[in-house]
Amino acid sequence: MFCMPYPFAKIDKQTRIMNRVLICIISLSMAIPCIGQWKAAGDKIKTEWGAKIDPANVHQEYPRPLMERNDWMNLNGLWNYAIVPASLARDDNSIPISASSAKAEKFDGKILVPFCVESALSGVGKTVGANKVLWYQRSFQVPETWQGKKILLHFGASDWQTDLWVNGIKVGSHTGGYTPFNFDITAALKKGENVVDVRVWDPTDESHQPRGKQVKDPRGIWYTPVTGIWQTVWLEPVPETYISKIKTTPNLDENSFKIEVITNCPRGFDSAELALFDGGKQVASAKSLAGQPIEVRIDNPKLWSPDSPFLYDMQVRIFKGGKEIDSVKSYAAMRKFSIVKDSKGIKRLALNGKPIYQLGPLDQGWWPDGLYTAPSDEALRFDVQKIKDLGFNMIRKHIKVEPARWYMHCDRLGIIVWQDMPSGDFETVVNGRRSLPLPEWNRNSLFKKAEYVRSAESEACFRKEWKDIMDFLYSHPCIGMWIPFNERWGQFKTDEITEWTMKYDSTRPVNAASGGNYYTCSHILDIHSYPHPQILIYDCDKVNVIGEFGGVGLAVKGNLWKEKGNWSYTTKQSADASNDKSPSEAERALAMYKEYADMLSEMTQRGISAGVYTQITDVEGEINGLLTYDRKVVKFDESEIRKANKKVIDSLNK
C-alpha cells in the first residue's frame, strides 16, 4: 500500500537512471495496446509536426523547467473519454456540484492527452459546451522505487473546472484554465494498478471565467473552444517536506539575486542552500534559515538581453537535521526591466538601465491541429525561433498563457514577453441572455464614463486567475510587462486592478489596458490602430506604445483553415483560396508591411517606444499572419522583414 509515505532516502545517480528506464518501460507497455485506436480527427490543415504524431510519445519533455527533479512519470497518451450531460449543473450555469460517482457510465473511445477534445490531434474533434461534462480515465502503476514518497499528480493546464478521483476516492478540485496545479494523491493509492478519473466542465463563453478568444460559435477573430486537459499530465515522487515553489528576483542595482524557497510544510526543514553555476562552474552560493529568502551576490554578473540571453544554472537544496531532504534544479538571469527618460525627456522602456525599442508580433498561440496545444515541443520552439529570426526582440502573448516550456524557450533564445491576462466576462450568453453591454470604446481621450460592472463571483474569479498567472510566470526572465486588460473586453475597476498588479510585482512595467479605455493609473499608454500605426492620444507622463497595428492579409492556397470567408485588416471583402500567393499579391503585402514599419520608425522621435504587429501566424479564418496557420509558408521575404524590423528598433538611437 502507498497510503503513507515511508521515510525519505537519498537516491544515488545510478538508481535514478534505473528508475527512469523502468518508468519509460511501464508507460510504453500501457500505451502500446491503444496505439491502433487513434487517428487525427477532421480534415483541416495540419502542421508538419502534427502529421508525425506518435500517440505513445507525445510531449515527453520535462514540463517544469524552472524547478526540475530527476524522477517523474509522464502520463500523456491515450486515455478513455466520455462526453455526458451535466445533469448536476446548477440552474445559473456556474460551477456544477459534485457528482455522486467518480466515473462515467461508459466511454465513447480514446482521447490523446494533452490535446483538447475539440482538436484534431485529440483524435476526437467534438465540442462539449456548458451543458455537458468531459470525463477522462486511465490507469497507472507507481514504481516500487517510489515507496516512502508522497506522490503528486500534476496538470500543466486544464480548462476550466477539473475534478479528480483516484481509485474512486475524491482527491480535489481546481478552477482555472491557464496555470499548473497538482494534487497529493498518496493516500488514495494502492499497490499495483491505480485508476484516475478526471471530470472537466467548461462553459466557454456562457459564463464569466477567463477564456481568451474561445467561443462556441467561432467566427472572425473568435476561435474554436478548448475544453479539458491541454497540457502535460505527470506524476512526481517527493519527500514528506518538499520544495513546492521557487521565486527568483534579480537585483541588478546590487548585483544580487533573492530566492524565496517555498515548501509544503514551512516548519518541515531547517535551512536552504543555493548554488549558481556558469557553464558548470560554481560562481556563487548562499544559505538561509527556513522562512528567510536566500540572498546571493555576484561580482561582475553576466546580463540577460535579446542580444545575449545569458542564464545562470541554479540548484536549490533544503536540509533538516543536517541532512539534505530535497533538491531541485532551476535557472536565473540577471536583468532589469524599468522606465527611463531619454535625452529629450521622453519616457522609454529600458532593459538593464538602457532604453530599448521593443518590437514584436502579436502571438495568439493557436495551432490548426492542436488548437491551444502545439503538436510538439519542437513546434513550440519553432515559433519563438522564427520570431527571433525575423528580427523581432519581443512577443506580445495575446490573451493566452503558454506552457512553461514556451517561456523557457523565450528565456533561452532572448525574447521579451508582454503577457496578457486572458479576457472573459464580455459578450457572454447565459440561458439565452447576454451580459450587460460593454462601455463605449474611447480610444483618443481619457475615459470618464461608467466602467463595466462584474458580479462578485466574476470579479473573484478574475482576481484569482490573474494572481495565479503572475505567480506562475514571475521567475521567468523573459516576462517584461503585465497586461491585465485588452480593448475594454471585461475591463473593470481599472485603477484598482492596476494598482494591485503594480504592488504585487514592482519589478516590471504594467500596461493597464492594451488598446482599452485609457486611465492614468498605468505605466503605459497603449494605442491600437489598424491597419497603419497612428498616434491617437499621447501622455507625456507615460511610455507611449502602439500595442497593435498592421494585420496585412495574404491568403495562401493550400494552407488555409477554410477555403472561403477568410478575413484580415487589409482585406475588406472575404479572402478565399483563389487569392494565391502570386508575386503581385505577395509584393503588395510586403510593401504594406515595410510602409507601416517606416511609419513606426518615424513615430519614435515623436515619443513612441514600442510596436506590436498583428500577427505572427494566421489563426483559423484570420489570414493576417507573417506565416500561414500551419507554419509551412513564410509569406514574405524574411531578409526584407528583418531589414524593416531592424530599422524600427534602431530608430531609438537616432
Side-chain angles (χ1 to χ4, degrees):
M1 295 289 289
F2 284 78
C3 293
M4 294 296 291
Y6 295 167
F8 173 79
K10 187 174 181 180
I11 301 175
D12 60 31
K13 182 176 180 180
Q14 183 176 1
T15 304
R16 288 197 298 267
I17 295 173
M18 292 177 65
N19 288 352
R20 294 302 304 274
V21 172
L22 177 61
I23 290 168
C24 291
I25 293 172
I26 292 172
S27 300
L28 183 60
S29 65
M30 289 189 289
I32 287 174
C34 301
I35 291 175
Q37 302 179 37
W38 177 88
K39 66 175 182 178
D43 58 359
K44 298 289 189 181
I45 56 173
K46 296 178 178 62
T47 64
E48 293 180 357
W49 306 279
K52 298 184 291 186
I53 282 286
D54 174 3
N57 189 36
V58 59
H59 282 284
Q60 294 297 302
E61 299 80 13
Y62 191 82
R64 191 184 56 200
L66 277 179
M67 207 175 80
E68 184 176 349
R69 290 190 178 91
N70 290 309
D71 291 331
W72 66 292
M73 180 190 291
N74 194 310
L75 295 185
N76 291 340
L78 291 167
W79 295 45
N80 296 321
Y81 87 93
I83 299 173
V84 301
S87 56
L88 297 178
R90 300 206 308 249
D91 290 339
D92 62 0
N93 262 346
S94 57
I95 301 173
I97 61 176
S98 297
S100 58
S101 62
K103 62 181 180 180
E105 294 299 320
K106 62 179 181 179
F107 291 98
D108 300 334
K110 299 290 183 180
I111 184 170
L112 183 57
V113 171
F115 299 103
C116 71
V117 67
E118 293 90 351
S119 71
L121 293 182
S122 71
V124 180
K126 297 179 181 178
T127 57
V128 181
N131 296 320
K132 295 181 180 179
V133 294
L134 172 62
W135 282 97
Y136 298 82
Q137 186 187 79
R138 71 158 288 165
S139 61
F140 64 89
Q141 293 187 27
V142 178
E144 291 288 338
T145 53
W146 288 5
Q147 287 193 25
K149 302 287 191 70
K150 288 179 177 289
I151 308 299
L152 305 181
L153 178 55
H154 293 268
F155 294 79
S158 177
D159 195 359
W160 177 71
Q161 177 188 321
T162 304
D163 298 286
L164 178 71
W165 291 259
V166 175
N167 298 322
I169 300 171
K170 181 68 178 289
V171 173
S173 299
H174 177 267
T175 58
Y178 295 97
T179 52
F181 58 97
N182 66 72
F183 301 105
D184 181 349
I185 64 171
T186 314
L189 294 173
K190 62 183 181 180
K191 191 171 183 178
E193 185 176 79
N194 292 272
V195 177
V196 56
D197 290 276
V198 180
R199 184 188 64 191
V200 181
W201 175 74
D202 180 16
T204 308
D205 56 345
E206 295 188 66
S207 190
H208 58 257
Q209 86 291 346
R211 41 96 175 173
K213 288 201 171 183
Q214 303 175 55
V215 293
K216 65 178 182 179
D217 179 25
R219 74 263 180 209
I221 63 170
W222 310 106
Y223 315 135
T224 305
V226 172
T227 300
I229 298 167
W230 66 276
Q231 290 184 33
T232 292
V233 183
W234 53 294
L235 289 169
E236 179 183 38
V238 293
E240 179 70 21
T241 297
Y242 60 90
I243 301 168
S244 58
K245 182 182 175 182
I246 295 173
K247 184 177 181 180
T248 302
T249 305
N251 186 334
L252 180 58
D253 296 334
E254 298 183 1
N255 291 342
S256 66
F257 289 101
K258 181 174 76 173
I259 291 86
E260 299 171 59
V261 182
I262 297 97
T263 67
N264 65 310
C265 182
R267 298 186 178 183
F269 72 108
D270 299 329
S271 63
E273 182 175 317
L274 166 77
L276 286 176
F277 300 87
D278 176 355
K281 179 183 178 181
Q282 183 171 317
V283 294
S285 64
K287 298 180 181 180
S288 71
L289 294 179
Q292 296 299 313
I294 304 174
E295 297 186 12
V296 58
R297 178 181 171 82
I298 300 181
D299 293 327
N300 301 314
K302 295 181 179 179
L303 305 186
W304 183 95
S305 71
D307 293 332
S308 180
F310 180 81
L311 300 173
Y312 288 98
D313 293 320
M314 184 165 68
Q315 183 179 42
V316 178
R317 301 186 292 167
I318 58 173
F319 298 84
K320 186 175 180 64
K323 294 182 179 181
E324 178 185 316
I325 58 174
D326 194 18
S327 68
V328 295
K329 297 176 183 178
S330 187
Y331 62 84
M334 183 60 71
R335 59 96 185 96
K336 177 183 179 180
F337 292 112
S338 62
I339 294 172
V340 299
K341 287 185 178 181
D342 66 12
S343 59
K344 298 178 181 179
I346 299 173
K347 287 193 172 182
R348 305 290 189 183
L349 295 171
L351 175 62
N352 302 329
K354 298 179 181 179
I356 179 175
Y357 195 105
Q358 297 186 22
L359 177 68
L362 198 73
D363 181 2
Q364 308 204 60
W366 287 75
W367 300 81
D369 37 20
L371 298 182
Y372 258 17
T373 310
S376 70
D377 189 67
E378 181 185 358
L380 203 64
R381 186 185 186 281
F382 172 87
D383 273 10
V384 180
Q385 183 65 65
K386 182 58 66 176
I387 290 168
K388 183 87 172 182
D389 292 345
L390 290 171
F392 296 106
N393 62 6
M394 173 266 284
I395 294 170
R396 181 179 168 206
K397 179 50 63 176
H398 191 40
I399 56 177
K400 184 200 176 190
V401 180
E402 294 288 356
R405 290 190 64 87
W406 184 87
Y407 297 95
M408 176 199 74
H409 293 313
C410 292
D411 293 336
R412 291 181 174 176
L413 293 173
I415 289 283
I416 299 167
V417 175
W418 293 9
Q419 181 61 54
D420 286 10
M421 168 66 177
S423 51
D425 198 4
F426 66 98
E427 293 296 317
T428 301
V429 181
V430 179
N431 293 331
R433 293 178 298 176
R434 287 194 174 274
S435 61
L436 293 174
L438 290 173
E440 177 185 337
W441 192 12
N442 195 344
R443 299 196 295 158
N444 55 12
S445 63
L446 186 67
F447 187 77
K448 298 180 179 179
K449 299 182 180 180
E451 282 200 276
Y452 185 69
V453 178
R454 292 190 181 221
S455 68
E457 187 177 24
S458 172
E459 180 175 337
C461 180
F462 177 95
R463 291 178 182 273
K464 171 193 176 295
E465 295 199 33
W466 184 222
K467 178 181 179 298
D468 287 348
I469 290 167
M470 293 181 68
D471 287 341
F472 168 44
L473 298 177
Y474 179 89
S475 295
H476 279 283
C478 64
I479 301 296
M481 185 180 294
W482 299 115
I483 305 177
F485 299 112
N486 176 75
E487 289 188 358
R488 76 193 172 116
W489 298 349
Q491 183 180 347
F492 76 105
K493 293 187 178 179
T494 306
D495 286 332
E496 186 176 331
I497 296 297
T498 303
E499 181 182 4
W500 179 89
T501 304
M502 289 176 171
K503 287 183 177 179
Y504 198 64
D505 181 7
S506 61
T507 70
R508 297 172 169 99
V510 175
N511 183 350
S514 181
N517 285 325
Y518 176 58
Y519 290 76
T520 59
C521 56
S522 178
H523 293 126
I524 312 293
L525 188 153
D526 185 316
I527 299 165
H528 290 186
S529 173
Y530 286 104
H532 61 276
Q534 300 179 78
I535 302 177
L536 303 176
I537 181 175
Y538 189 84
D539 188 337
C540 295
D541 293 326
K542 311 296 178 190
V543 175
N544 292 261
V545 306
I546 306 295
E548 291 182 26
F549 75 97
V552 177
L554 182 64
V556 180
K557 188 175 182 179
N559 304 90
L560 295 171
W561 173 260
K562 56 184 182 178
E563 292 300 305
K564 295 185 180 297
N566 296 295
W567 175 88
S568 78
Y569 286 98
T570 60
T571 308
K572 300 304 181 183
Q573 71 280 3
S574 293
D576 58 41
S578 64
N579 294 331
D580 201 355
K581 189 189 176 186
S582 64
S584 59
E585 283 296 300
E587 289 170 5
R588 174 197 62 81
L590 176 59
M592 293 178 71
Y593 183 93
K594 294 165 70 174
E595 178 187 359
Y596 297 161
D598 285 344
M599 290 180 178
L600 202 59
S601 297
E602 186 273 332
M603 291 177 186
T604 303
Q605 301 309 312
R606 293 195 282 142
I608 297 300
S609 298
V612 178
Y613 177 80
T614 302
Q615 58 187 334
I616 186 58
T617 72
D618 295 347
V619 182
E620 298 198 358
E622 272 193 84
I623 55 158
N624 48 25
L626 296 175
L627 280 69
T628 55
Y629 196 15
D630 56 13
R631 277 71 167 175
K632 292 180 180 179
V633 178
V634 181
K635 298 181 185 180
F636 312 132
D637 184 301
E638 292 190 42
S639 64
E640 291 296 311
I641 295 294
R642 279 195 301 273
K643 188 185 301 182
N645 289 345
K646 185 177 187 303
K647 182 177 180 181
V648 176
I649 292 172
D650 290 347
S651 66
L652 192 59
N653 300 320
K654 289 183 178 180

